[in-house]
Amino acid sequence: MNGKTPGEWMLEDMYEQPDRVASALREAGSKADSLAAVLEGADFVVLLGRGSSRSAATYAAEVFRNVAGKPAYLVSPAQLGWGTTATDLRRAAVIAISQSGESREILAAARRALSLGARLIVVTNSPDSELAALVPSDLVVDYRAGVEVAIPATKSFTASLAALLGIAMSSRPGQLSDAIAEIPRRMTQVLHDERARFTTLASGFVLAGEGFAEAVAEEGAIKLRETLLLPASVFEASEFLHGSINSASATTTVVAIAADSVGAHLAAQVVEGGLARGATTVYIGSNPPPIGGQVVTIPEVVPEWVPFLAIIPIQFAARATSLREGLDPDLPSGLSKITRIENSNHVPG
């Protein structure tokens, strides 16, 4: 199709990730003074995103809480943009994340945030977009993922994480320099490590992670749903252990991701519970405990860097399983790069 092999575009995008992440971190660093001023003047951070950008927002909430020391929350763009909320956002830094910068839902929410007094930062792959035009250029972080032809987000997801990490580190130049030097190198290591792979049946999926690993679970589930057209559920690891684990069975693949010591303890319990119920299990993390099932070991890094590494094995698995099922992961049926959710005439705003 179109002179290409199925899955070719997705693989090319995946191998570009280290360079794209480095570019996004440098871009955020180049605007550090303006970004730091917005954060320092804010009491809390509000994150807006949908699809893979929502997964990035989940990551960002952890980054701003743990790295920047700011309370951070995800808000429904539809509810903020088209709902009746009257929240005072004059002490908020609102960060709108959108690959295209043209999502009606994100645009409506960003405009509403500005009307409620927020300072707005835009994180996008499209610096000439309608969303980017809402703020001065020094508050637009172009995460420089380049053209992503494959429908599933890979390099645009990890580049958006890098932009968000760079914003959180805008007043910490030493930490940002370390991230620029080390994250791309570690990603390259995982991309070229054949042991950083796992196999899975095309069945139902559960992905679970705690803390920084929750964003990996969210994004991994999107990749599996997009490429395989199959259900994939997402849980905080601790939440999954509270009853929902009983949904695991011989037709389920359970993927547990660990980003820190607490997450590793919980991920091990998720795997043990899945195995006890006959599920196929995968543990992704550094220093894995002695448990059964498949284990994917990634390099040991600080927790906020783990998502850059842990998502790669899931990207590979989604692509490989899609190809095995006779599908083309580059062009999943019924999807496009931009999802347009329009406002109803019956909804205020």
Side-chain angles (χ1 to χ4, degrees):
M1 182 184 295
N2 300 319
K4 77 168 190 71
T5 303
E8 176 185 342
W9 293 341
M10 186 175 178
L11 192 64
E12 289 176 356
D13 288 340
M14 288 166 59
Y15 276 101
E16 285 185 29
Q17 288 178 109
D19 288 342
R20 299 300 183 175
V21 163
S23 293
L25 288 166
R26 292 190 188 99
E27 163 74 0
S30 73
K31 299 178 177 181
D33 290 345
S34 298
L35 298 169
V38 171
L39 288 183
E40 288 166 5
D43 291 340
F44 59 98
V45 179
V46 172
L47 286 311
L48 305 171
R50 279 292 182 232
S52 290
S53 293
R54 188 192 186 283
S55 303
T58 297
Y59 169 78
E62 289 291 331
V63 165
F64 287 109
R65 288 193 290 259
N66 289 280
V67 175
K70 293 283 184 181
Y73 315 94
L74 275 68
V75 171
S76 163
Q79 289 295 328
L80 178 59
W82 299 324
T84 57
T85 180
T87 302
D88 186 345
L89 295 178
R90 284 175 293 181
R91 298 296 295 172
V94 174
I95 301 180
I97 311 159
S98 173
Q99 192 272 345
S100 69
E102 302 295 342
S103 163
R104 300 296 99 188
E105 188 183 7
I106 303 298
L107 279 163
R111 291 189 179 109
R112 187 72 186 283
L114 288 170
S115 75
L116 292 170
R119 291 295 305 278
L120 179 66
I121 296 171
V122 170
V123 174
T124 183
N125 197 35
S126 305
D128 297 323
S129 63
E130 194 172 348
L131 182 64
L134 295 179
V135 296
S137 60
D138 59 343
L139 296 180
V140 177
V141 182
D142 173 9
Y143 54 72
R144 301 179 181 275
V147 176
E148 190 171 52
V149 183
I151 297 299
T154 52
K155 64 179 180 178
S156 64
F157 171 67
T158 50
S160 69
L161 297 190
L164 292 159
L165 179 61
I167 295 169
M169 291 180 170
S170 55
S171 61
R172 296 166 172 79
Q175 290 183 34
L176 183 56
S177 294
D178 289 345
I180 292 170
E182 284 298 313
I183 294 176
R185 184 175 75 84
R186 297 292 192 172
M187 292 179 75
T188 299
Q189 184 179 340
V190 176
L191 281 164
H192 293 279
D193 186 353
E194 290 296 326
R195 297 168 299 175
R197 308 281 192 275
F198 66 88
T199 58
T200 181
L201 301 174
S203 58
F205 299 88
V206 170
L207 292 92
E210 197 83 8
F212 283 103
E214 185 179 1
V216 180
E218 284 187 11
E219 178 60 14
I222 292 173
K223 294 288 89 62
L224 292 165
R225 295 185 199 118
E226 286 176 332
T227 58
L228 299 177
L229 288 70
L230 289 171
S233 300
V234 182
F235 294 89
E236 282 185 300
S238 53
E239 178 65 22
F240 184 58
L241 294 169
H242 279 270
S244 294
I245 194 168
N246 227 27
S247 65
S249 70
T251 61
T252 310
T253 297
V254 175
V255 181
I257 308 105
D260 55 24
S261 58
V262 172
H265 174 69
L266 294 167
Q269 292 182 65
V270 168
V271 167
E272 290 165 358
L275 288 171
R277 291 162 176 81
T280 299
T281 65
V282 182
Y283 177 101
I284 301 175
S286 60
N287 302 314
I291 53 178
Q294 298 181 70
V295 174
V296 175
T297 303
I298 59 175
E300 186 171 6
V301 294
V302 294
E304 60 266 28
W305 294 3
V306 166
F308 295 91
L309 311 184
I311 193 60
I312 293 171
I314 304 176
Q315 293 171 346
F316 274 117
R319 178 182 179 275
T321 308
S322 175
L323 291 173
R324 193 184 68 218
E325 295 299 310
L327 302 170
D328 184 354
D330 293 338
L331 301 166
S333 176
L335 296 181
S336 66
K337 290 300 286 185
I338 302 175
T339 300
R340 299 190 184 277
I341 300 176
E342 299 293 349
N343 186 12
S344 165
N345 292 332
H346 301 292
V347 178

